[in-house]
Amino acid sequence: MSVLLSVRGVSVTIEAATLVDDVDLDVRAGEVLALVGPNGAGKSTLLGVLAGDRVPSSGSVTWGGVELAATGVAELARRRAVLLQETRVSFPFRVVDVVRMGRAPWRGTAREDDDDAVVARALVTADVLDLAARRVPTLSGGEKARTAFARVLAQEPVLLLLDEPTAALDVRHQEHLLAQARERARAGDAVVVVLHDLSLAAAYADRVAILDGGRIAGVGAPADVLDPEVLGRVYRHPVDVLPHPLTGELLVLPRRQPRRPVLEDVR
Ligand code: ADP
Ligand code: MG
């Protein structure tokens, strides 16, 4: 699988704080790469670096051998789409307007002719067709997230950067969104997705990168990387990694204290 983005020795520092610390990582076409790690590990910062939105303090990020920093914003917008962890759409755009904004990078190119068909397809794929005429500020968190995903799809990037796209979604939409992300990878695109649910990462990612304190604590196939000892240390909470009793797929479960009986039950 061809390497789309190559990250070498990348650090991001802000004053005394090191947000990303000497990271090496390849993003490959045809692959879903899950970025996991505790709150504050640097996942969103690293995603910003991959997007070219954040210039690293040191190290290099290259796309086809060319420094990402040397690539213009218009060209970047035709290559990669970003679903931000929090999107604040305060202006009362309709859902269809927001999705149509994804087409902006293709304005004035031959691909502009596809706009209507691509937008229609994105609305269906992200399951927001029924919401197309709704004003974004009136949507639920999950509906907003699906709208943001539709905009990413409408942009037709070869690199999809998704920051916690499933955080607000119900079970069906979580599975559906990640299945669509897999579908993009199958079609040859590269997908980098920040996830908190490690079972979801195991189920949908080709590779998982664990970030801890800005550093890569492990990267590789889910079965190789999702190790209970590593995860317990990184998350500072014990976890079990088990095969699903019916399907054999990996489940990552936080260890829990047994519930103490309430006093009434004891009496
Ligand atoms: P994640 O997405 O993994 O939760 P982030 O990449 O958003 O983490 O942030 C990494 C760390 O950097 C966090 O501890 C955050 O508080 C810190 N951080 C973010 N922005 C700044 C800043 N401007 N100055 C100092 N620390 C920052
Ligand atoms: Mg984040």
Side-chain angles (χ1 to χ4, degrees):
M1 250 167 268
S2 70
V3 173
L4 214 60
L5 266 184
S6 186
V7 173
R8 290 295 175 270
V10 159
S11 297
V12 175
T13 55
I14 297 180
E15 290 161 16
T18 302
L19 280 53
V20 171
D21 192 359
D22 196 20
V23 163
D24 292 337
L25 191 66
D26 284 335
V27 175
R28 303 174 188 156
E31 183 178 87
V32 175
L33 171 65
L35 266 185
V36 306
N39 294 148
K43 304 178 297 294
S44 296
T45 306
L46 181 57
L47 211 70
V49 168
L50 298 177
D53 288 336
R54 194 185 261 280
V55 179
S57 317
S58 56
S60 77
V61 187
T62 53
W63 183 306
V66 178
E67 282 290 335
L68 208 55
T71 308
V73 282
E75 177 58 25
L76 279 179
R78 288 191 283 268
R79 291 185 192 175
R80 59 93 178 106
V82 189
L83 189 156
L84 294 173
Q85 192 169 3
E86 38 196 277
T87 41
R88 289 196 194 85
V89 180
S90 45
F91 191 85
F93 289 114
R94 292 176 306 161
V95 167
V96 66
D97 301 328
V98 170
V99 177
R100 194 167 282 281
M101 285 171 202
R103 297 304 296 163
W106 303 107
R107 202 167 292 150
T109 74
R111 287 174 68 165
E112 197 175 11
D113 300 344
D114 305 338
D115 282 4
D116 290 340
V118 172
V119 168
R121 210 159 49 227
L123 288 168
V124 170
T125 304
D127 195 25
V128 288
L129 186 60
D130 293 348
L131 306 172
R134 289 274 301 279
R135 304 282 166 183
V136 171
T138 72
L139 300 179
S140 77
E143 291 166 344
K144 282 180 186 150
R146 276 149 53 201
T147 301
F149 185 56
R151 183 193 52 77
V152 163
L153 294 174
Q155 201 173 325
E156 293 193 303
V158 293
L159 170 63
L160 289 80
L161 301 167
L162 311 173
D163 200 348
E164 299 193 29
T166 56
L169 299 187
D170 63 46
V171 168
R172 180 171 77 92
H173 286 106
Q174 277 187 12
E175 299 293 327
H176 181 73
L177 184 146
L178 288 171
Q180 293 304 325
R182 277 233 55 81
E183 184 53 33
R184 292 318 320 148
R186 205 192 54 77
D189 297 337
V191 181
V192 182
V193 55
V194 177
L195 292 173
H196 276 303
D197 185 325
L198 299 171
S199 297
L200 273 182
Y204 287 101
D206 298 291
R207 285 190 307 149
V208 176
I210 305 175
L211 217 56
D212 182 24
R215 304 185 72 97
I216 300 274
V219 57
D224 297 332
V225 167
L226 297 175
D227 173 77
E229 262 159 47
V230 172
L231 294 174
R233 177 163 45 78
V234 166
Y235 285 94
R236 293 191 284 155
H237 187 94
V239 298
D240 293 308
V241 180
L242 328 154
H244 189 291
L246 301 179
T247 64
E249 80 184 41
L250 282 186
L251 300 176
V252 184
L253 302 171
R255 192 78 65 78
R256 289 166 188 144
Q257 298 291 333
R259 277 205 207 189
R260 298 224 309 273
V262 295
L263 285 174
E264 267 169 333
D265 294 341
V266 176
R267 251 187 277 145

